[in-house]
Amino acid sequence: MSDSRRNLKAIVDYLLEYDHVVEVGIGRRTDVAAQLVQAGVAVTATDVYLRDVPDGVRSVRDDVVDPDLEVYADADAIYARHLPPELHRPTLEVARKADTDFLFTTLGGDQPAIPVERRTIREGTLYVARSQPG
């Protein structure tokens, strides 16, 4: 198994503890959402553009900077891959309003712009921000 596949598996394994997740900014990277759905997790994928998503994944056009909070209301967790620092705080605010955890990875050497717990995964770090501070 390649390093990138192990990294994806680590993210999926961590998210399996949740029944319903929302992926922010799915773009064209649909592999985590597909694996979660296959494992029985309900997945809603958001992006500023409507995207093609795997069967079983609900696709919603939404911008986390100006969100429709109904999209996130029933989620147990919100996650994002390669999330740029300028979206960390807005996504955390959505997670707090939805009373849900927020998990994300960053690009390259970007550091989180919000308080987080760090989980080491194969090719980097999975950052976890709880819905309630402290």
Side-chain angles (χ1 to χ4, degrees):
M1 181 182 296
S2 72
D3 285 349
S4 62
R5 288 189 58 166
R6 281 190 197 105
N7 192 43
L8 290 177
K9 183 177 179 343
I11 293 170
V12 170
D13 287 348
Y14 200 91
L15 291 169
L16 287 176
E17 73 180 71
Y18 301 101
D19 294 325
H20 179 212
V21 297
V22 175
E23 181 168 354
V24 170
I26 193 165
R28 293 182 177 91
R29 296 176 317 271
T30 62
D31 40 1
V32 169
Q35 290 178 41
L36 289 170
V37 165
Q38 288 176 355
V41 177
V43 179
T44 300
T46 70
D47 202 288
V48 293
Y49 304 103
L50 277 181
R51 300 289 188 170
D52 289 329
V53 295
D55 288 343
V57 175
R58 178 177 167 235
S59 180
V60 176
R61 185 171 178 234
D62 191 60
D63 184 346
V64 75
V65 175
D66 184 22
D68 175 356
L69 294 176
E70 289 298 312
V71 171
Y72 308 89
D74 295 328
D76 300 312
I78 295 170
Y79 75 96
R81 295 172 56 200
H82 309 299
L83 193 67
E86 63 270 15
L87 295 180
H88 297 178
R89 192 160 310 285
T91 309
L92 177 60
E93 290 306 313
V94 170
R96 286 186 173 160
K97 288 176 183 173
D99 192 26
T100 188
D101 293 339
F102 167 38
L103 305 91
F104 63 101
T105 63
T106 61
L107 270 178
D110 287 344
Q111 292 299 308
I114 57 174
V116 294
E117 298 170 18
R118 289 168 164 77
R119 302 286 187 260
T120 300
I121 56 176
R122 182 82 177 154
E123 291 182 347
T125 304
L126 179 65
Y127 300 103
V128 181
R130 301 294 174 190
S131 60
Q132 298 302 314

